[in-house]
Structure formats: structure tokens, C-alpha cells
Amino acid sequence: QVQVVESGGGLVQAGGSLRLSCAASGRTSSVYTMGWFRQAPGKEREFVAAITWRGDNTYYADSVKGRFTISMDNAKNTVALQMNRLKPEDTAVYYCVADRRFGVNLQSDYWGQGTQVTVSS
């Protein structure tokens, strides 16, 4: 089993920045990919970004490309999501996810509880 716990959400003005962190624990040797999804009120959960455990491949949704950066700290078993130039439409609950396979999706193995990000206009 793998546990993932998010931190770092909050309230920020449009154009500002936030950094989310996700700490993985347990059998982390089984994890291949980690990533982030988000869910806004009344909308479906959507992919944001992903990174392989070794940090050698990253993937982004078009809506965040160029503004968000995902990174991996293997020494701390932590994945971070640096979010810059935030927009009101980025407001959502952000979920950290870990998968034993290549890639992440809505059926991925391990999910965090989520952290709220609110961007005011």
C-alpha cells in the first residue's frame, strides 16, 4: 500500500502563485508515476500533470502548460506542483495520485484526500 498526502493549498489572487506538495509513504518502491488531478465544483475530475518516479518524464494538460511545473524529490518521496500565473478557472480541489503503472488516470491506484485551491479575480 501507498499513502499520499497533499499540502499547500490556499487562497490567492489571480496572477499569483502557489506550491502544492504531496508526500508518498509506504511501499513507494512500487510507484511508477505520480501526478495531480483537480475537480472544480460541478465539473468532472481532470488531469493536471504527471511525472515518472525517477523524474525523467513530465506531462501536462494543455490548460496549465507553461504555467505549472511538476517536480519530484526522490530523497523525500515528494512530488510538488508549482503553480504560477494562476487564473480563477484554476480554482478546484487538487488531488495527488500515485500509480504502479506508467501514466495516471481516474482509475489510478492511490489517491490523496485533496487540497483546496481558490483563485480570486
Side-chain angles (χ1 to χ4, degrees), residues 2 15 116:
V2 175
Q116 177 70 46

Side-chain angles (χ1 to χ4, degrees), residues 32-33 51-52 56-57 59 99-105 108:
Y32 195 97
T33 314
I51 187 168
T52 49
D56 51 354
N57 288 288
Y59 307 89
D99 202 303
R100 293 169 292 174
R101 298 154 293 187
F102 175 75
V104 292
N105 54 56
S108 283

Side-chain angles (χ1 to χ4, degrees), residues 5 7 18-24 31-36 47-60 64 67-84 96-97:
V5 178
S7 61
L18 275 177
R19 185 177 179 86
L20 304 182
S21 291
C22 173
V31 175
Y32 195 97
T33 314
M34 292 195 69
W36 293 89
F47 169 77
V48 176
I51 187 168
T52 49
W53 184 260
R54 294 185 302 178
D56 51 354
N57 288 288
T58 57
Y59 307 89
Y60 297 94
V64 306
R67 299 188 298 121
F68 291 11
T69 302
I70 190 169
S71 60
M72 190 73 208
D73 184 339
N74 292 115
K76 297 180 180 179
N77 289 346
T78 299
V79 61
L81 185 68
Q82 178 66 42
M83 305 184 294
N84 298 328
C96 179
V97 59

Side-chain angles (χ1 to χ4, degrees), residues 6-41:
E6 308 96 336
S7 61
L11 172 65
V12 65
Q13 287 189 329
S17 299
L18 275 177
R19 185 177 179 86
L20 304 182
S21 291
C22 173
S25 61
R27 197 166 174 235
T28 57
S29 60
S30 67
V31 175
Y32 195 97
T33 314
M34 292 195 69
W36 293 89
F37 280 72
R38 67 185 182 186
Q39 188 166 20

